[in-house]
Amino acid sequence: MAIQQVGVIGAGTMGNGIAHVFARSGFNVVLCDVEQRFLDRGLSTIAKNLDREVAKSKITADVRTSTLGRITAVVDRAKLADSDLVIEAATEKFEIKSEIFRDLDRIMKPEVILASNTSSISITKIAALTKRADKVIGMHFFNPVPVMKLVEVIRGLATSQATFDTVRDLALKLEKTPVEVNDAPGFVSNRVLMPLLNEAMYTVMEGVATAQAVDEVFKLGMAHPMGPLTLADFIGLDVCLDIMRVLQDGLGDPKYRPCPLLIKMVDAGWLGRKSGRGFYTYP
C-alpha cells in the first residue's frame, strides 16, 4: 500500500519533529494530541524549526509554507482513520501506549501499519495488544528529529517482512538512515547509552566529581559533542528513569538499577532542560 497520509499521535518533542520531517518530505500529516494547547505548542515548534531551516538556506520559504500546509492538527483520534500509517510518539509508559494501540487497532483499516517511536518498550508486547501483530513495528527517531539521521527500525516477534520493508523504505524517503534492530529492552541505542548516563549520575551522587567535571571528561577525553549529564538533561530525566526501569525489568540485571539520585531528582520535578532544572539550571 502506498503511503500518502501519515498519522502522528503526540505533539511533544518527538511527535512534532516526526510530523515536521514527514510533511517536509511531501506527506500529508494528521497530528493528534489530547488537548488543543499541546497541538498549538507543537505547531509553533514546527514553525520555528522551519524558520531556522530557511535562515540556514536548507529549505526555501515556499517549502516552509507548503510543509505547514500539509499538517492537520486534531484532538479526535477518529480523524486518523484515513491515514496509511500511524506513528505513536506518546509518553514512554506502557499503560499509555497500550490504550493508544488498542484504540488504533479498532479505528484503523486492517491493512494500516502501526508504528511506535518508543525508545525502549517491547514492540512484541505492544503488537500483542492488537489483531495485526504482523503490521506493528518500531520506528525510533532521535532528537532533534529534523536533524538526526538515524532511525532504529525494530522488528517485533511477529513483524512481517513486508511491514519492515515498507517502513525501511519510508525512512529512506525522509532522507534518514534506517538501521535494523530486533526487539529487546532498550534496543541498541538506549541499552548502551542509558547505563552510561546512569553511571555518570552515580559518580556525581558518590562525590567522585561534579556534573561539570564529568561532562568535561567526556567532551575532552572521548570527543563527545556534549557530556552525559548535559545529554540526560536534554533527553529529560524522567525519560531516562523510565528507560532504566524498562531495562531493569526486562533484563533482570542489577547493573540496570536506576541511580537513586536520578529517582530523587525526578521526584523533585527536576526533569532537565524542559523543567528548567536538572544537573544544570536553564533560563
Side-chain angles (χ1 to χ4, degrees):
M1 182 176 69
I3 307 294
Q4 295 180 321
Q5 179 171 299
V6 175
V8 179
I9 294 186
T13 300
M14 298 306 296
N16 71 59
I18 293 167
H20 176 144
V21 298
F22 271 100
R24 189 181 62 191
S25 297
F27 295 89
N28 293 321
V29 177
V30 180
L31 180 61
C32 181
D33 212 319
V34 294
E35 293 185 32
Q36 187 63 44
R37 63 192 176 100
F38 299 143
L39 291 166
D40 292 342
R41 187 187 308 156
L43 291 171
S44 175
T45 298
I46 293 169
K48 289 175 184 175
N49 288 336
L50 288 168
D51 287 341
R52 190 175 294 116
E53 290 177 337
V54 171
K56 293 180 178 179
S57 299
K58 292 184 176 180
I59 61 172
T60 65
D62 286 345
V63 169
R64 175 197 182 278
T65 301
S66 62
T67 296
L68 288 172
R70 293 188 193 99
I71 302 173
T72 302
V74 302
V75 293
D76 182 1
R77 216 178 272 171
K79 292 182 179 177
L80 295 166
D82 291 331
S83 298
D84 305 308
L85 168 84
V86 180
I87 303 173
E88 168 273 318
T91 304
E92 192 71 357
K93 294 187 182 295
F94 180 71
E95 58 272 21
I96 292 174
K97 296 183 187 297
S98 297
E99 185 277 325
I100 291 171
F101 272 82
R102 286 193 182 101
D103 201 31
L104 288 175
D105 193 41
R106 177 184 62 82
I107 293 168
M108 306 307 298
K109 293 176 290 228
E111 64 271 21
V112 171
I113 293 171
L114 305 181
S116 177
N117 182 60
T118 179
S119 54
S120 61
I121 294 171
S122 170
I123 299 301
T124 301
K125 192 173 178 181
I126 292 172
L129 301 169
T130 75
K131 296 175 182 175
R132 64 181 85 201
D134 61 317
K135 294 181 175 64
V136 177
I137 194 167
M139 197 175 189
H140 181 206
F141 292 83
F142 289 76
N143 187 28
V145 180
V147 175
M148 300 295 279
K149 291 294 186 183
L150 175 63
V151 177
E152 280 184 312
V153 182
I154 303 123
R155 293 178 181 268
L157 187 62
T159 304
S160 70
Q161 186 63 43
T163 297
F164 176 83
D165 290 345
T166 297
V167 170
R168 177 201 58 208
D169 293 348
L170 198 57
L172 291 170
K173 289 177 183 176
L174 301 178
E175 299 183 349
K176 302 297 185 186
T177 302
V179 176
E180 180 179 355
V181 178
N182 289 320
D183 194 19
F187 316 128
V188 171
S189 55
N190 282 317
R191 182 168 177 174
V192 176
L193 174 64
M194 285 299 160
L196 167 64
L197 306 191
N198 198 53
E199 198 63 29
M201 295 170 195
Y202 270 109
T203 64
V204 174
M205 185 185 78
E206 294 169 2
V208 176
T210 64
Q212 293 88 342
V214 171
D215 281 351
E216 283 297 292
V217 167
F218 278 84
K219 288 191 292 183
L220 300 178
M222 289 77 170
H224 287 202
M226 67 176 75
L229 299 172
T230 300
L231 179 56
D233 275 357
F234 181 71
I235 293 168
L237 300 186
D238 52 336
V239 176
C240 293
L241 179 56
D242 286 341
I243 295 171
M244 287 305 301
R245 284 176 168 157
V246 168
L247 292 173
Q248 184 182 31
D249 293 344
L251 297 169
D253 192 317
K255 72 181 181 181
Y256 297 110
R257 180 173 72 99
C259 177
L261 177 59
L262 172 61
I263 296 171
K264 188 179 295 185
M265 292 174 74
V266 171
D267 286 344
W270 298 2
L271 307 182
R273 185 177 289 273
K274 62 186 172 186
S275 71
R277 184 167 185 177
F279 285 95
Y280 300 91
T281 56
Y282 303 90

